[in-house]
Amino acid sequence: MADRKNQADLTATEKRNFIDAVLELKRSGRYDEFISTHNAFIIGDTDNGERTGHRSPSFLPWHRRFLLQFEQALQSITPSVMLPYWDWTVDRTSRSSLWAEDFLGGDGRSGDGRVTSGAFAFGNGKWPMNIRVDGRTFLRRSLGTGVRELPTRAEVDRVLAMPVYDTAPWNSSSDGFRNNIEGWRGPNLHNRVHVWVGGQMTTGSSPNDPVFWLHHCFIDKLWADWQRLHPKSGYLPTGNTPDVVDLHDTMKPWNDVTPADLLDHTKFYTYA
């Protein structure tokens, strides 16, 4: 069983292998398929209609399956590659190793937010924005501009202490762990990080920024932490719920996997 590691603990070789595999997925066109999928579900998921990837109980299992699919795509290029996670309760500034030249590159420049360092800088010619919400063709970031502070460990712990997975009406107004970690209620965990990064991370095409995968990997780890803390608290709802994915319903776009299939992450990976 392979470990997903904290990005701060990656070796130079592990960083290079991850970056090279991501760039190869981009070159082949496969990376943009992931962006298109995510963008379609952001647009389609609404509070008062069918919702699968966001604003719904299946936010966590849907993204777990999405991460697994992406990780497997990376492994088709370099079998040893595992998704790393970004613990934004610790690595909280633009000076963190996450944003170094040898990993994801740094902040966007003043004025247009264009990322000019690292493998994903537009000037390197390997990271065009093919799936975009406007005419700009370069990766953008504005770290700490949209919101000044990333979530704290104390805020995370308050959400992890919540004993109920989700509640009616099963959307962005729900109480419970899922909606608080997604960030529509409470300390705004997942959503706040997207806004802190800025640029494409604030749009439906957020996987245009590779930090998307490291952020969601940490969200996935927090779900695993919550499950360990609350072993008697399972996924809700369990059946006959309009417009949302129940425990044994299949999830689009795959239609071959249910939340129940994804509750135990250790079937696929562990967290270091």
Side-chain angles (χ1 to χ4, degrees):
M1 183 64 61
D3 282 339
R4 290 181 175 176
K5 296 170 63 173
N6 188 322
Q7 61 81 27
D9 297 327
L10 294 177
T11 66
T13 298
E14 287 169 334
K15 289 181 180 180
R16 185 169 57 251
N17 287 345
F18 175 77
I19 295 300
D20 288 349
V22 170
L23 290 173
E24 176 57 25
L25 282 185
K26 182 71 167 180
R27 186 203 63 78
S28 71
R30 294 170 67 192
Y31 192 98
D32 287 346
E33 294 173 8
F34 288 94
I35 302 172
S36 295
T37 295
H38 189 267
N39 193 45
F41 278 85
I42 281 278
I43 293 169
D45 291 328
T46 64
D47 272 346
N48 298 312
E50 182 179 325
R51 47 201 182 275
T52 303
H54 309 85
R55 299 173 178 263
S56 63
S58 49
F59 167 74
L60 291 165
W62 190 91
H63 281 87
R64 179 166 284 179
R65 178 64 181 84
F66 194 51
L67 293 178
L68 274 167
Q69 188 177 38
F70 183 70
E71 189 170 60
Q72 290 161 0
L74 295 175
Q75 291 167 351
S76 72
I77 297 164
T78 305
S80 64
V81 169
M82 297 292 293
L83 282 177
Y85 62 88
W86 168 29
D87 183 348
W88 27 255
T89 70
V90 174
D91 294 308
R92 303 177 54 76
T93 75
S94 60
R95 298 181 299 278
S96 298
S97 61
L98 176 74
W99 309 112
E101 175 78 26
D102 69 344
F103 199 32
L104 299 189
D107 198 2
R109 67 187 181 187
S110 178
D112 62 3
R114 177 169 157 176
V115 173
T116 60
S117 63
F120 307 107
F122 182 76
N124 291 331
K126 296 181 179 180
W127 202 251
M129 297 295 99
N130 301 315
I131 312 298
R132 54 185 186 265
V133 296
D134 57 35
R136 289 173 287 188
T137 58
F138 47 84
L139 178 62
R140 292 178 290 112
R141 294 179 184 138
S142 53
L143 306 182
T145 300
V147 62
R148 290 185 62 187
E149 297 290 335
L150 288 163
T152 66
R153 186 68 224 185
E155 289 172 323
V156 167
D157 288 342
R158 287 204 302 272
V159 172
L160 289 178
M162 302 182 77
V164 177
Y165 179 80
D166 208 347
T167 64
W170 319 108
N171 60 21
S172 69
S173 65
S174 300
D175 206 354
F177 168 72
R178 186 276 310 170
N179 201 32
N180 275 264
I181 195 171
E182 188 172 355
W184 303 108
R185 293 285 296 271
N188 185 8
L189 299 184
H190 156 266
N191 290 347
R192 196 198 319 178
V193 177
H194 276 268
V195 176
W196 186 90
V197 174
Q200 281 91 354
M201 276 284 279
T202 65
T203 73
S205 62
S206 49
N208 267 310
D209 193 331
V211 76
F212 170 93
W213 306 103
L214 284 73
H215 170 37
H216 272 275
C217 198
F218 188 53
I219 293 293
D220 185 77
K221 180 183 183 298
L222 293 179
W223 181 26
D225 292 343
W226 180 85
Q227 290 175 300
R228 187 174 61 254
L229 290 169
H230 306 279
K232 295 182 180 180
S233 299
Y235 179 95
L236 295 171
T238 58
N240 301 313
T241 315
D243 293 326
V244 301
V245 179
D246 291 314
L247 178 62
H248 296 290
D249 290 345
T250 57
M251 292 187 293
K252 297 177 180 179
W254 309 287
N255 299 315
D256 62 355
V257 64
T258 70
D261 296 328
L262 295 163
L263 297 181
D264 181 8
H265 73 283
T266 64
K267 294 188 296 184
F268 311 105
Y269 52 83
T270 52
Y271 280 108

